[in-house]
Amino acid sequence: MIDFYLKKGYSLEWIEVRIKAIINRKKLTKTWKEGGINDNVEYAILTNEIYKEWFGMTAKEYKEFKNIRKESLRDNMSDVEVLLTDLGELAAREIAKTKKPQGLDENIVIAKKGGKIAKGTRNNLEKELGSSVVTNNNNLKYKYEKNELLNNK
């Protein structure tokens, strides 16, 4: 996996963050399974709840913001964005391990709490930086044209 990302031009720092995020995501889905979540649609709903809390957008909206379509959203995040996503998921996982939610509705509540923790960190960092850490930059070597986007919707 390291070689794959190196060949695509990613830095070692970004690769390290991304690989840790993949591992933590696997742990989160395992925790969600223990809470009765087994459907890919439900995983997407829970992920969107985390994203909406800290990004202010669903995964689909964030992909549009970054001008990507089929590409991996996380592969097009900055290292800070990956870390904040990971923090939201890690917080949701730790809260779920304590609260033991069952079913989608209870897990949504926990996912939102995880996202709020990441949002608090985002807000603190942005206050110190004086600028947003959410960026529309992507890692594509090309850009989609607006007409092409309209024709493929």
Side-chain angles (χ1 to χ4, degrees), residues 48 50-63 65 134:
N48 275 332
I50 293 171
Y51 280 1
K52 285 190 296 189
E53 288 299 323
W54 95 260
F55 275 136
M57 297 178 240
T58 65
K60 181 181 178 184
E61 292 165 339
Y62 198 54
K63 284 179 103 169
F65 176 71
V134 174

Side-chain angles (χ1 to χ4, degrees), residues 28-92:
L28 176 62
T29 57
K30 181 180 181 234
T31 301
W32 281 343
K33 282 181 185 178
E34 292 167 1
I37 305 302
N38 293 302
D39 185 318
N40 285 340
V41 172
E42 291 177 325
Y43 290 130
I45 290 168
L46 294 172
T47 300
N48 275 332
E49 291 300 330
I50 293 171
Y51 280 1
K52 285 190 296 189
E53 288 299 323
W54 95 260
F55 275 136
M57 297 178 240
T58 65
K60 181 181 178 184
E61 292 165 339
Y62 198 54
K63 284 179 103 169
E64 289 173 5
F65 176 71
K66 285 191 171 283
N67 196 28
I68 58 178
R69 285 190 271 160
K70 296 179 183 179
E71 298 81 11
S72 165
L73 176 57
R74 291 174 198 235
D75 283 357
N76 284 282
M77 290 180 178
S78 70
D79 54 351
V80 174
E81 292 169 318
V82 172
L83 279 169
L84 289 171
T85 299
D86 196 28
L87 175 60
E89 291 182 346
L90 184 130

Side-chain angles (χ1 to χ4, degrees), residues 101-114:
Q102 291 297 309
L104 184 60
D105 290 341
E106 290 180 17
N107 275 286
I108 285 173
V109 171
I110 301 302
K112 286 181 178 186
K113 288 180 181 186

